Amino acid sequence: MAEQGTYDVIVIGAGPSGAVAAASLVRYGYRVLVLERQHFPRFSIGESLLPQSMAFLEQVGMLQDVVEAGFQHKNGAAFCRGYDYDFFDFRQKFSAGWGTTYQVQRSQFDKTLADCAERQGAEIRYGQTVTAVSRHDAGVVVDVLAETGEAYRMEAGFLLDGSGFGRVLPRLLQLEKASTLGARLALFTHVEDRIVDPRFDRNKILITVHPFVPEIWYWLIPFSNGRASVGVVLPRDRFDEESMDRLATLQGYIAEGGMLSEFLSNALFDTPMRKLEGYSSDVERLYGDRFVLLGNAGEFLDPVFSSGVTIALKSATLAAATVHRQLQGLNPDWQQEYEIPLRTGIDTFRVFVEGWYDGRLQDVIFANNKSEGVKAMISSILAGYAWDSNNPYVSEPARLSTLAELCRG
C-alpha cells in the first residue's frame, strides 16, 4: 500500500462538523487533511438550523459566507395539531445570543462550509473512503481507498470522525451501542410548495402533530426559492416497504394533518422520495487514544428539534480546542473538557425528545396558560441553547415533567 504522507490532523467527512473542525484547527496552525467519501454538492437531511449554530460559524469565520448564500431566514418554530397552533419566536428567548438563523438546502450549505474551510487552508480530498484505522505511540494510521481504486495510507497526530450517519470509526473500532430511543423512520422529499395561505409563516419551521396518533409528526421547512422540505416521522412498524408506496404514504398522512394539509394543497411533489430509518444512535464513548467522534458520528437523537447540526458544530469547536491542547503536549482531560460538556447539551435535548414522544412537551407547547417567562426558557432550548446552565430547564431538565403537569392543570 502506497504511503502518501503525514498531517497533523486527519478529519473524516467534510460535512458541517468536519468542515468547522478543520477550519478551527487550521486557525491553530495545523496541517489538516479532510477525507470525504462523496462529492459536493450532495443531498443531506437536517435542513433547519438553530440560532446557536450561528455563533459557532462566526467563531471560525464562516458566517459571512452563509449570510451571503441567500438561504431562507428563520426566527422560530411553529407547532400545529389539527387546527391548534402556537409558535416560539427565538428572538424572545431566555438565553443571550443569536435569535435568528436559516433554513437551508444542505447540498448548498455543506458545500459553502467545506469551500470556506478549504480557502482557509484545509486540504479536502473527495471520493475517498476510510477502510481501516490503527494507532501507534506517535499518532494514527489511516488506510484509504480512492474512487479510482487506488489504496493508500496516511498518518496523523490525531483523527477526528465527522462522517455523520456513515459512523466510520464507531463501525471500525466497534464503539456502537443501541440507542435508548424508539425505532422510527422518516419518509421525506422536496416539493414546489406553492403555499399562498397567509397563516403560513415562511420564517419558521412548522412541526405538525398527527391529530389522532401523537407519536406521528411532520416537518415542513420552507426554503427561499419557493420550495420546501416535507417529511413524516413514523414508528417503524407503521411502514412496510414491500407493500406500501413511499409517496402515497406521505401524502396520505399529510391529508390527515389538518392545517398542514391545507398549506400543501397545491404542492407539486416533483422529487423522488427518500427514507431514513435506524437513525437514532449512540456509542460507548466519544473519544479514545488519538481519536474523537463529532456530531452524528457519535450520537444522534431525533430530527424533531433540528438539533443535529447544532450538536455537530458544538462538538467540532470543543474537539478542535482540546486537540490543540493535546498536540501542544498539555495532556487535556478529554472526559472533563470534551465528553461531559458536550453531553450536557445532548442530555438536555434528549429529555425534550423523550418528552415530545411521551406527550409531556406536546402538553406544554399546546397549553393556553404558558407564562411568558417559561415560554422564553423553552424557546431558548428550541433555539439550540441547550448548554446555558442559567436556564432552569438545562440545569434541571426534569423540570419538564412538573411543567407538563401544571400545563395540564
Side-chain angles (χ1 to χ4, degrees), residues 186-198:
L187 301 173
F188 54 95
T189 187
H190 285 181
V191 302
E192 182 181 324
D193 61 69
R194 301 180 177 179
I195 298 174
V196 295
D197 193 316

Side-chain angles (χ1 to χ4, degrees), residues 190-217:
H190 285 181
V191 302
E192 182 181 324
D193 61 69
R194 301 180 177 179
I195 298 174
V196 295
D197 193 316
R199 296 173 297 174
F200 182 66
D201 185 351
R202 296 195 76 87
N203 291 319
K204 294 176 176 65
I205 181 176
L206 176 65
I207 298 174
T208 299
V209 183
H210 191 283
F212 308 117
V213 189
E215 61 182 325
I216 296 175
W217 64 274

Side-chain angles (χ1 to χ4, degrees), residues 57-116:
L57 297 174
E58 188 173 32
Q59 183 177 325
V60 293
M62 294 180 169
L63 182 60
Q64 191 62 35
D65 293 70
V66 173
V67 169
E68 294 176 355
F71 296 121
Q72 171 65 47
H73 185 260
K74 176 186 175 183
N75 61 25
F79 294 86
C80 179
R81 182 174 59 195
Y83 289 89
D84 293 334
Y85 179 90
D86 203 352
F87 67 90
F88 290 79
D89 189 324
F90 294 157
R91 295 165 298 183
Q92 299 169 1
K93 57 179 174 36
F94 174 85
S95 304
W98 284 84
T100 60
T101 184
Y102 297 99
Q103 306 194 122
V104 302
Q105 294 97 327
R106 284 287 300 278
S107 57
Q108 181 186 357
F109 176 74
D110 289 11
K111 189 174 190 305
T112 297
L113 300 193
D115 289 351
C116 188

Side-chain angles (χ1 to χ4, degrees), residues 312-390:
L313 301 188
K314 176 71 172 181
S315 70
T317 54
L318 277 175
T322 314
V323 169
H324 171 56
R325 290 193 288 275
Q326 178 151 337
L327 294 180
Q328 292 297 301
L330 299 179
N331 194 28
D333 184 335
W334 277 89
Q335 185 69 13
Q336 294 295 323
E337 298 180 43
Y338 180 72
E339 177 138 0
I340 290 176
L342 181 60
R343 285 201 184 275
T344 295
I346 292 175
D347 290 345
T348 300
F349 281 125
R350 184 194 308 281
V351 169
F352 273 61
V353 168
E354 292 171 345
W356 173 262
Y357 285 106
D358 65 27
R360 288 174 295 155
L361 187 55
Q362 293 187 26
D363 288 339
V364 171
I365 287 171
F366 293 108
N368 295 320
N369 57 342
K370 295 186 292 293
S371 76
E372 290 303 313
V374 168
K375 190 169 183 178
M377 294 174 187
I378 301 299
S379 185
S380 282
I381 294 173
L382 298 179
Y385 293 90
W387 290 269
D388 179 9
S389 60
N390 292 318

Side-chain angles (χ1 to χ4, degrees), residues 70-72 103 105 190-196 200 202 220-230 263-264 266-270:
F71 296 121
Q72 171 65 47
Q103 306 194 122
Q105 294 97 327
H190 285 181
V191 302
E192 182 181 324
D193 61 69
R194 301 180 177 179
I195 298 174
V196 295
F200 182 66
R202 296 195 76 87
L220 175 55
I221 302 172
F223 300 133
S224 59
N225 59 356
R227 299 186 63 78
S229 175
V230 182
F263 289 159
L264 292 174
N266 298 317
L268 176 62
F269 288 76
D270 57 0

